[in-house]
Amino acid sequence: MSEHAEHAETPDFDAMTRDIAEVPAVEVIVTVAVNLMSAAAVHLGLTEEGDKYKDLDEARKLISALAGLLDASATEISSFHAAPLKDGLKSLQLAFREASVVADEPGQGPGEKYTGPVWG
């Protein structure tokens, strides 16, 4: 293998670091939150595939992580960014409650230690 071919396969970590440094923190937080929301929706069976990927244990973890992220970053991101994310979180929490065979006690559902009890 030539030296040039070897370098083509090696990631350019300096370039990746520069790229990351150029992204505002708010954008990183929102992107992570949207990824958590999307993954939770898949595991709740809310996609076109329905129950194919449904896994409430995985959904619980993702929703809790999303709630923790939003709780921790609430003062760091504007309400312009936070409001729709919080609405999405609440929708996921309600969908989780509906999908559960045995309902969690109020305040014990995924992420509710950060958001408080979620009511329909």
Side-chain angles (χ1 to χ4, degrees):
M1 180 181 278
S2 72
E3 185 177 324
H4 178 67
E6 256 181 58
H7 289 290
E9 294 176 16
T10 305
D12 183 355
F13 291 111
D14 289 337
M16 290 168 57
T17 300
R18 280 191 305 276
D19 290 346
I20 290 170
E22 294 172 5
V23 179
V26 171
E27 190 174 325
V28 173
I29 293 166
V30 169
T31 299
V32 170
V34 169
N35 285 331
L36 288 168
M37 292 173 82
S38 298
V42 168
H43 288 297
L44 285 170
L46 301 177
T47 61
E48 286 184 15
E49 292 86 10
D51 289 346
K52 182 177 179 182
Y53 300 107
K54 190 172 184 177
D55 184 334
L56 294 183
D57 185 50
E58 290 293 300
R60 177 184 293 277
K61 293 171 189 171
L62 293 161
I63 294 168
S64 293
L66 174 62
L69 174 65
L70 295 181
D71 183 56
S73 63
T75 59
E76 305 300 327
I77 62 176
S78 67
S79 60
F80 174 79
H81 291 99
L85 294 173
K86 288 180 179 181
D87 289 344
L89 170 60
K90 183 176 180 181
S91 294
L92 290 169
Q93 289 171 312
L94 290 170
F96 184 92
R97 195 168 286 284
E98 285 180 20
S100 297
V101 176
V102 178
D104 292 318
E105 291 292 321
Q108 300 302 307
E112 290 183 10
K113 75 178 185 179
Y114 300 108
T115 64
V118 175
W119 310 100

